Amino acid sequence: MLRYHMQGFSGYGVQYSPFFDNRLAVAAGSNFGLVGNGKLFILEIDRSGRIVEVNSFLTQDCLFDLAWNESHENQVLVAQGDGTLRLFDTTFKEFPIAIFKEHEREVFSCNWNLVNRQNFLSSSWDGSIKIWSPLRKQSLMTLTPRPLEITKMVDPLNAIILKKKSFTGISKNRNCVYQAQFSPHDQNLVLSCSGNSYASLFDIRLPSGKNQNNFLVHSGLEALTCDFNKYRPYVVATGGVDNAIRIWDIRMLNKNESATIKRTVPGQLHNSSCINEIPNAHGLAIRKVTWSPHHSNILMSASYDMTCRIWRDLSNDGAKETYKTNSTDATKGSIFNFTQHSEFVFGADWSLWGKPGYVASTAWDGNLFVWNGLG
Amino acid sequence: MSQRLQSIKDHLVESAMGKGESKRKNSLLEKRPEDVVIVAANRSAIGKGFKGAFKDVNTDYLLYNFLNEFIGRFPEPLRADLNLIEEVACGNVLNVGAGATEHRAACLASGIPYSTPFVALNRQCSSGLTAVNDIANKIKVGQIDIGLALGVESMTNNYKNVNPLGMISSEELQKNREAKKCLIPMGITNENVAANFKISRKDQDEFAANSYQKAYKAKNEGLFEDEILPIKLPDGSICQSDEGPRPNVTAESLSSIRPAFIKDRGTTTAGNASQVSDGVAGVLLARRSVANQLNLPVLGRYIDFQTVGVPPEIMGVGPAYAIPKVLEATGLQVQDIDIFEINEAFAAQALYCIHKLGIDLNKVNPRGGAIALGHPLGCTGARQVATILRELKKDQIGVVSMCIGTGMGAAAIFIKE
């Protein structure tokens, strides 16, 4: 295990460089990201196994996420608390090379398109997702997940579930789009998850109003994170405040329900089929889920419970579907539990390089740890 | 800052609360891939003991003929490959060894492959429900994906096999105050319930008459047609209608029947106790992830099952303790339940449980109970599951419960889909 401590800053996001096997970027904020400066750390693992800072950029507000430019080895994009996105060149000092300002509140996630490598997206507490080109100051497109009004839920069962939830927080944060991701298989697909407990799947080729399918993913509690499986284009994972990880097949309408539920709004309701679930995967809310880049059935989660966990998705054996669920396993499919962090873990990323299984994680404790999750 | 802090606080507070919340009704209403679902639940007609349609056939015959019909109606992917059934559990009370041999034989004859294992279960009157629970648990923990729970009883043919009082051979046990309570006849345990908790003969007869009226009405309206499978008898005739329900039963007409167990001051009669009957029922269960894969229909889902022990001398109070236990385990309240199928072993014990739990009488056995339909011991639990899944509407919650001889109660929760 390797460690780097960011003095005075708490880690929110981490990503391995897609170009250099020893380079990492970490997005961080002072005062636990609640108020004050942010800082982007560019770190390298040297030959002796130490993590060293090679560059860093201080920003005026906290940084909540980052994304390496997939077509330029020196560029990193950050999501900032003041509603801006900033593109930094790691060979420069101090200032960003571009600023993208449209969001009205904190930008909580950003993600570079892995397929066309030209676009990136951002998701914000203002309830929108924006798609951008690094060449343009204005966004190319704004996506707004539609079911923001819980009372306008179409599915009567979901309405029952949500009405019975007496939680107060959901009304305050429900517009927040905590994370959005481009599909690694199709440059036109975007998945997002929101404080209203819904995940939304967008096809940006379709006209607005018909380009989204929304599905309830976390029982009315906030959905904080989502990710596309890197090998199975139709499989996504979500995590949220119900402490559960759920795995969905976005192809399938639920066969048993599709006939009985009236679709009053076209495209509003998409009963994506939940094919697996890890209930109580963590003791507290799950902040990050991310599928392995090397395995079709392994994923990692990071949580407020200060741990990172590696899971096997037992509904797939790596080659085909098994139709098992993780509930049928004594360990619930748990492979590894990383317990070195001493605060909420917000960011984690798999290394694309070397022996499969290396990951980097960062937490409110200011630590960046590099460790092997697969032994 | 304050909003960011509040947001983090919300995540923490709600996720910490969520642990308790996960068992509440709202999360029970959600469908999950690991749910144990009921793909099919059917039963035979219930025959009158000693003089009914099934008086000349034993449980192996009943089970074999029922399985032929039941399997014949299985969804195509399953019918085409019965190897997909990974376990059969069959409840039975009166056969020697709970029918372990002849019921395995009936399964093989009906086309279930020898590679599918079989277990015979006997937890007295809850045997059929215990079989459902046995299969459901095996699906839950991943031992199997699909299983078949059965219950069968021919009280006509096998009541004589076992001394209805049971047997205790040890002289020491025969003298032991607690042990010998297990030998108290069921009727006497009910007299104890009626006397201890002051359930009047009039109330019992009214309850029993109501059961007859509900069952007769349900039968005439064809409400049982969906759940009853026809049984072909050796003479070529077909039995597909319950023999227990009869018209024009009133509390007055029952009031003239003489007490069966305590002649002078007893209140339990043949009219307000369950009938001696023959019958068979089956419940096919699967994990939802597998049911979806095979495109199997889903009638409802199994939620939970609990059993409790109660004093043997008042064994009829079992549901009054089993139902709260299963409700607590699932975070539900009595008011959340839409229908209760509480086995009417005797009117007095059923009434006691209903009153004790404050259950709305209109929610109990809406199509009649064992007083009118009959109580083929090992079959009853599975029969109730088949019945309640027709009574419930989509997303309604039902409880199946019964008292158990030697002092126990069992209760299970199902949700209709």
Side-chain angles (χ1 to χ4, degrees):
Chain A
M1 186 187 77
L2 310 178
R3 171 175 177 263
Y4 178 81
H5 187 73
M6 301 175 287
Q7 196 61 49
F9 286 89
S10 293
Y12 269 87
V14 57
Q15 196 192 354
Y16 275 93
S17 161
F19 294 95
F20 303 101
D21 64 0
N22 64 338
R23 190 171 292 179
L24 289 149
V26 187
S30 59
N31 304 309
F32 304 108
L34 300 175
V35 65
N37 297 119
K39 198 169 180 182
L40 170 66
F41 292 85
I42 309 297
L43 306 175
E44 281 189 3
I45 305 171
D46 72 13
R47 292 202 169 275
S48 61
R50 283 179 312 168
I51 302 176
V52 293
E53 181 185 317
V54 293
N55 201 352
S56 65
F57 301 90
L58 199 63
T59 56
Q60 288 203 334
D61 205 336
C62 306
L63 300 183
F64 294 117
D65 199 10
L66 67 93
W68 286 94
N69 184 335
E70 294 288 333
S71 58
H72 193 300
E73 73 271 25
N74 290 329
Q75 293 184 0
V76 188
L77 180 78
V78 294
Q80 194 164 310
D82 62 2
T84 62
L85 291 132
R86 283 157 198 258
L87 189 63
F88 289 97
D89 189 307
T90 59
T91 60
F92 295 177
K93 284 282 170 195
E94 230 174 302
F95 299 110
I97 54 173
I99 297 175
F100 307 90
K101 179 158 177 56
E102 277 186 21
H103 284 299
E104 290 158 15
R105 293 201 60 179
E106 287 85 345
V107 187
F108 271 141
S109 87
C110 57
N111 176 241
W112 212 279
N113 194 315
L114 290 170
V115 182
N116 70 18
R117 303 183 185 196
Q118 303 303 313
N119 301 336
F120 61 87
L121 62 70
S122 58
S123 81
S124 164
W125 202 340
D126 69 7
S128 69
I129 299 149
K130 288 178 187 284
I131 295 174
W132 311 76
S133 158
L135 306 175
R136 286 167 51 106
K137 288 221 153 204
Q138 290 79 33
S139 65
L140 302 171
M141 185 181 277
T142 299
L143 304 169
T144 309
R146 213 185 292 103
L148 294 176
E149 279 298 320
I150 289 173
T151 49
K152 290 184 184 161
M153 222 60 73
V154 185
D155 181 347
L157 177 61
N158 288 353
I160 295 171
I161 292 168
L162 293 180
K163 241 186 275 168
K164 296 199 179 221
K165 293 278 173 193
S166 54
F167 300 112
T168 51
I170 195 162
S171 55
K172 286 188 277 299
N173 308 334
R174 71 161 188 264
N175 282 6
C176 184
V177 186
Y178 285 100
Q179 195 179 2
Q181 294 262 297
F182 277 114
S183 164
H185 307 278
D186 182 337
Q187 61 182 10
N188 300 303
L189 292 184
V190 172
L191 179 71
S192 71
C193 58
S194 306
N196 65 1
S197 200
Y198 272 77
S200 303
L201 182 68
F202 295 88
D203 186 334
I204 60 175
R205 288 166 297 197
L206 297 174
S208 81
K210 291 182 178 168
N211 63 354
Q212 59 179 289
N213 281 315
N214 302 296
F215 49 107
L216 184 69
V217 286
H218 286 287
S219 318
L221 294 173
E222 296 190 58
L224 302 179
T225 175
C226 58
D227 191 32
F228 280 98
N229 188 290
K230 313 299 192 288
Y231 291 87
R232 293 181 280 158
Y234 46 86
V235 169
V236 302
T238 61
V241 174
D242 62 356
N243 309 344
I245 297 169
R246 288 182 174 171
I247 296 166
W248 307 83
D249 185 331
I250 55 177
R251 293 173 305 182
M252 286 199 287
L253 285 167
N254 190 320
K255 291 170 229 148
N256 298 325
E257 283 185 352
S258 54
T260 56
I261 292 171
K262 290 198 188 80
R263 300 185 175 203
T264 50
V265 183
Q268 177 85 8
L269 184 78
H270 177 96
N271 269 300
S272 244
S273 177
C274 184
I275 53 173
N276 197 357
E277 180 187 30
I278 310 173
N280 296 316
H282 285 274
L284 288 169
I286 294 164
R287 207 47 222 230
K288 178 89 178 172
V289 289
T290 175
W291 288 97
S292 162
H294 297 107
H295 305 86
S296 64
N297 61 343
I298 289 178
L299 73 162
M300 168 165 58
S301 57
S303 162
Y304 285 103
D305 73 0
M306 306 186 217
T307 68
C308 274
R309 287 167 188 260
I310 312 283
W311 305 93
R312 199 180 300 282
D313 166 16
L314 297 175
S315 70
N316 187 287
D317 64 8
K320 60 182 191 310
E321 285 165 44
T322 63
Y323 306 100
K324 297 278 179 200
T325 55
N326 279 42
S327 65
T328 62
D329 184 77
T331 64
K332 291 196 288 187
S334 170
I335 296 174
F336 188 73
N337 187 11
F338 181 76
T339 57
Q340 297 298 312
H341 283 293
S342 56
E343 261 297 348
F344 307 150
V345 191
F346 275 70
D349 188 40
W350 294 89
S351 170
L352 300 166
W353 308 97
K355 191 178 155 209
Y358 278 96
V359 297
S361 61
T362 188
W364 267 23
D365 59 13
N367 284 323
L368 172 89
F369 286 120
V370 171
W371 43 282
N372 188 337
L374 297 179
Chain B
M1 168 187 175
S2 66
Q3 284 181 322
R4 288 182 197 171
L5 185 60
Q6 182 65 40
S7 153
I8 302 275
K9 188 184 146 209
D10 288 345
H11 298 163
L12 290 170
V13 169
E14 288 171 17
S15 65
M17 276 170 65
K19 277 182 269 184
E21 196 68 15
S22 67
K23 284 187 162 182
R24 298 282 283 278
K25 180 181 182 183
N26 39 34
S27 66
L28 288 179
L29 284 172
E30 276 187 84
K31 295 173 184 171
R32 294 161 190 272
E34 64 261 30
D35 287 340
V36 176
V37 298
I38 293 146
V39 173
N42 288 93
R43 65 177 178 100
S44 70
I46 297 173
K48 268 187 175 302
F50 304 107
K51 52 190 174 185
F54 300 147
K55 71 181 165 52
D56 297 323
V57 295
N58 211 326
T59 52
D60 46 3
Y61 181 95
L62 283 175
L63 186 58
Y64 167 62
N65 282 276
F66 172 77
L67 282 175
N68 282 344
E69 295 292 332
F70 196 37
I71 291 170
R73 285 166 173 78
F74 278 179
E76 174 56 31
L78 206 52
R79 202 166 15 129
D81 185 5
L82 292 177
N83 281 301
L84 291 168
I85 300 171
E86 293 176 284
E87 172 84 291
V88 178
C90 183
N92 173 270
V93 178
L94 296 174
N95 292 38
V96 174
T101 305
E102 61 272 31
H103 298 156
R104 161 83 167 154
C107 288
L108 296 180
S110 67
I112 294 174
Y114 67 82
S115 51
T116 299
F118 174 91
V119 59
L121 292 172
N122 182 357
R123 203 206 286 264
Q124 315 271 24
C125 304
S126 75
S127 300
L129 191 62
T130 299
V132 171
N133 178 56
D134 182 70
I135 294 296
N137 281 346
K138 286 167 179 163
I139 292 171
K140 244 185 188 171
V141 300
Q143 284 179 357
I144 63 170
D145 293 337
I146 300 176
L148 181 57
L150 301 164
V152 63
E153 202 70 63
S154 171
M155 294 179 77
T156 302
N157 285 285
N158 304 307
Y159 210 53
K160 60 184 182 293
N161 282 350
V162 181
N163 182 344
L165 301 179
M167 294 205 298
I168 294 179
S169 58
S170 154
E171 277 184 33
E172 191 186 347
L173 286 189
Q174 284 166 2
K175 288 178 199 143
N176 181 292
R177 203 170 141 256
E178 295 304 317
K180 68 183 181 189
K181 286 180 182 170
C182 291
L183 297 180
I184 301 172
M186 292 302 118
I188 301 297
T189 69
N190 190 59
E191 292 290 4
N192 290 341
V193 171
N196 286 0
F197 305 110
K198 303 192 172 49
I199 318 269
S200 72
R201 168 78 191 264
K202 184 163 164 288
D203 286 351
Q204 294 179 44
D205 285 345
E206 264 171 24
F207 181 83
N210 191 235
S211 180
Y212 272 105
Q213 287 151 12
K214 288 184 291 190
Y216 189 73
K217 184 161 176 280
K219 184 182 162 181
N220 275 356
E221 288 173 359
L223 299 182
F224 295 125
E225 278 171 17
D226 186 44
E227 68 194 64
I228 295 180
L229 299 183
I231 298 287
K232 202 158 113 196
L233 293 161
D235 63 6
S237 64
I238 303 237
C239 174
Q240 54 184 342
S241 144
D242 291 326
E243 297 174 344
R246 56 179 197 264
N248 308 322
V249 177
T250 61
E252 289 71 47
S253 70
L254 295 177
S255 66
S256 57
I257 303 173
R258 300 243 305 265
F261 299 93
I262 305 175
K263 297 293 176 206
D264 49 344
R265 55 192 166 77
T267 55
T268 305
T269 71
N272 62 31
S274 57
Q275 299 178 26
V276 171
S277 317
D278 308 329
V280 52
V283 182
L284 180 66
L285 300 114
R287 192 177 315 104
R288 188 189 302 280
S289 56
V290 179
N292 283 349
Q293 173 212 359
L294 295 172
N295 214 359
L296 305 178
V298 173
L299 279 180
R301 61 188 176 277
Y302 160 99
I303 302 296
D304 204 352
F305 170 92
Q306 294 283 340
T307 44
V308 290
V310 296
E313 67 273 24
I314 50 167
M315 68 91 204
V317 304
Y321 295 90
I323 292 173
K325 192 177 175 193
V326 79
L327 291 178
E328 198 199 337
T330 46
L332 293 169
Q333 316 273 329
V334 168
Q335 311 84 268
D336 294 329
I337 306 301
D338 298 289
I339 291 175
F340 291 84
E341 269 288 326
I342 298 176
N343 188 39
E344 299 165 356
F346 301 97
Q349 60 80 214
L351 268 176
Y352 168 76
C353 297
I354 292 162
H355 290 154
K356 161 104 178 161
L357 298 177
I359 297 171
D360 176 358
L361 203 55
N362 295 318
K363 288 183 174 181
V364 179
N365 304 348
R367 296 181 185 177
I371 289 172
L373 292 169
H375 176 24
L377 309 175
C379 160
T380 289
R383 193 281 296 171
Q384 289 175 295
V385 175
T387 303
I388 202 167
L389 287 172
R390 270 82 182 181
E391 292 166 335
L392 294 168
K393 297 189 183 73
K394 188 172 184 297
D395 295 327
Q396 285 192 329
I397 307 176
V399 163
V400 170
S401 182
M402 69 278 291
C403 57
I404 304 171
T406 69
M408 286 179 278
I413 295 181
F414 299 89
I415 297 184
K416 171 79 173 175
E417 293 190 7

